[in-house]
Amino acid sequence: MRASTDPSAATGERYRQFADVEARGLSACYEEWARGVADDPATVALIDRLPPTQRQPNLVFTSARFLGAPVAPFPSFAHWLAEHWEAVEGVALTHATQTNEAGRCAVLLPALAALAAENGPLALIEVGASAGLCLHPDRYSYRYRLPSGERMLHPADGPSPVVLDCVVTGRAPIPERLPEVLWRAGIDLNPLDVNRPADVDWLDALIWPEHDDRRARLQAAVGVARRHPVEIVQGDLSVQIEALVARARAETPVGTTIVVFHTAVLLYLDPASKERFAAQMERLPVCWLSNEAQGVVPGVLQRLSVTPPETSAFILARDGEPLAFTQPHGRSIRWLPDSVSSPRPAG
Ligand SMILES: C[S@@+](CC[C@H](N)C(=O)[O-])C[C@H]1O[C@@H](n2cnc3c(N)ncnc32)[C@H](O)[C@@H]1O
């Protein structure tokens, strides 16, 4: 079956796929809406007025909620959508699905901290950074729920207003302290600005209906990001990455480990672009951390020796080697038993 973001798939199929794989277990409302759309030719016909790239469920539902669509059973939603279609179309044509989930730092952190413990301080480059909320892993607090009990971690200057909760299974290397980050920057096709209220409202609408804890976390993380501005270069990740790695190299002390990471980004690339980016990661003097849906990063699924727990689970990988299964919004991490822990030398 093809992803809900695949513009070549029929709209009904994309919505059914979204219900079955992406929304199931995460949002009862979106699962019901997506199934409702898939079974309703009139709503499909409405959505088919959009170009194929803009028909994705997350974009259409977010655009509707951005404009005030009530969280209600599908028949009411379908009625509302038909009445407000022109406005929804206007938003869907001018916006993109750029969910920025600081919670994903909780699943990146064990890998980042392992790199810092082995190699020293880090320079972080996030490709597909949206508003850059995942570029502050050293400025958030963490509550890891391990089988043996809770482990709290705080930034060096004390507890953060953002506390990321994460359930841990397997022998994840939960660190004693947060990694030192000397330099950070992002790349995005369309960087969002935490100082622009319309951008923050869009980020808020992108959070799924039932996820009130994520909405509160977004506001707190936006506060952190406003206090610590980070440059996000506008452009395509493959086009911009080489210059940004060179800048990180030039602007940090010798021996700094440059980490290029991404979460929930590569699914938006066509197969040739994914291959091109993976080849760049192989060639550049960086450590590469990916946290993406199954089958999205070339080669990662093939190197897996364990069956993923759910189809929606992401795979965290370092230099293409799977490390863990992660919940897509960072709520849990299941470390793999035989995952590697040594990075490639970072040039
Ligand atoms: C779903 S958001 C994820 C944001 C962030 N990584 C996170 O996990 O919270 C995906 C982001 O990737 C960006 N993106 C998609 N394709 C891109 C490309 N080819 N080059 C740069 N950014 C891209 C989008 O603009 C969007 O902001």
Side-chain angles (χ1 to χ4, degrees), residues 112-196:
L112 290 172
L115 285 166
E118 291 156 19
N119 295 345
L122 307 177
L124 299 181
I125 298 178
E126 183 184 13
V127 300
S130 182
L133 301 181
C134 293
L135 275 163
H136 303 274
D138 53 332
R139 296 182 173 131
Y140 300 143
S141 289
Y142 297 83
R143 182 183 295 110
Y144 286 107
R145 299 179 192 277
L146 301 143
S148 55
E150 255 179 40
R151 170 99 53 93
M152 289 297 302
L153 278 167
H154 298 295
D157 58 357
S160 168
V162 179
V163 182
L164 306 180
D165 259 284
C166 183
V167 175
V168 180
T169 47
R171 294 167 61 85
I174 303 301
E176 298 291 332
R177 64 181 72 84
L178 300 185
E180 188 181 356
V181 179
L182 298 181
W183 191 97
R184 64 195 93 208
I187 300 172
D188 201 283
L189 282 177
N190 178 42
L192 294 180
D193 182 350
V194 289
N195 292 303
R196 250 191 107 223

Side-chain angles (χ1 to χ4, degrees), residues 97-101 104 126 128 130 134 188-189 235-237 263-265 268-269:
T97 50
Q98 296 193 256
T99 306
N100 199 185
E101 181 47 75
R104 292 179 178 135
E126 183 184 13
S130 182
C134 293
D188 201 283
L189 282 177
D236 178 81
L237 49 86
T263 80
V265 173
Y268 296 104
L269 272 57

